[in-house]
Amino acid sequence: MFFLGSIPTEIGYLTKLESLELARNWIIGTIPIILDNLSNLQDINLLYNRLTGSIPSILGNCNNLQSIYLDNNRLRGTVPTEIGKLNSLVEFTVFRNHLTGTMPDELCSLSYTNGGALVSVRADFEEVECACCNYCCVDGVGCS
């Protein structure tokens, strides 16, 4: 059974939610900015959907986030610098989207090689310049 539709804004009322697992559905629309109400949120898994729009900068306010999986959607724009405020972030994957620009230095500074917790960063090499990516996709190869 698949979930079909958009992520309801009412999800912002689930203030004790720790994991948002909606991968491999038919979710359309944008990532709701109300997610910043979820102060206990540790994991966001929205991969393999039909999400559009940009990655909301307010995700940088979700201080407990440890993993963000947004790959295989239709997201556009750049990775917001605010993601670099997530000191507990361990994994960040955004490949197979339509993102452009450069992976923010603020995010790369969270890397375990810099004393941070960030272990895995995955992005499309042709579209996003990424000095800290340890998994880079080229023409959709080597990124799964």
Side-chain angles (χ1 to χ4, degrees):
M1 183 61 87
F2 293 99
F3 177 75
L4 176 62
S6 59
I7 301 171
T9 56
E10 291 81 6
I11 201 160
Y13 298 124
L14 303 174
T15 56
K16 296 192 186 296
L17 188 69
E18 293 180 2
S19 182
L20 179 61
E21 174 69 51
L22 294 172
R24 300 178 191 277
N25 284 287
W26 287 89
I27 298 174
I28 58 172
T30 60
I31 300 169
I33 59 172
I34 195 86
L35 291 183
D36 74 336
N37 284 354
L38 306 178
S39 59
N40 292 315
L41 195 61
Q42 296 174 16
D43 304 295
I44 295 177
N45 188 345
L46 299 173
L47 58 87
Y48 287 101
N49 280 292
R50 303 264 189 250
L51 291 167
T52 56
S54 59
I55 300 171
S57 60
I58 54 84
L59 288 182
N61 296 336
C62 299
N63 296 328
N64 292 314
L65 273 176
Q66 296 174 11
S67 60
I68 300 174
Y69 302 103
L70 300 175
D71 36 303
N72 291 283
N73 279 288
R74 298 175 178 174
L75 298 170
R76 296 193 175 277
T78 60
V79 175
T81 58
E82 290 82 358
I83 299 294
K85 296 191 306 185
L86 301 173
N87 292 323
S88 298
L89 193 63
V90 176
E91 294 187 79
F92 182 72
T93 65
V94 293
F95 61 86
R96 290 190 181 138
N97 278 290
H98 304 289
L99 298 170
T100 57
T102 302
M103 196 64 70
D105 290 337
E106 293 85 351
L107 176 67
C108 290
S109 70
L110 299 175
S111 172
Y112 70 96
T113 58
N114 293 327
L118 190 61
V119 173
S120 179
V121 180
R122 296 179 182 204
D124 293 305
F125 186 68
E126 313 87 23
E127 299 172 10
V128 178
E129 185 179 326
C130 184
C132 62
C133 287
N134 50 357
Y135 297 98
C136 297
C137 306
V138 178
D139 295 326
V141 177
C143 54
S144 56

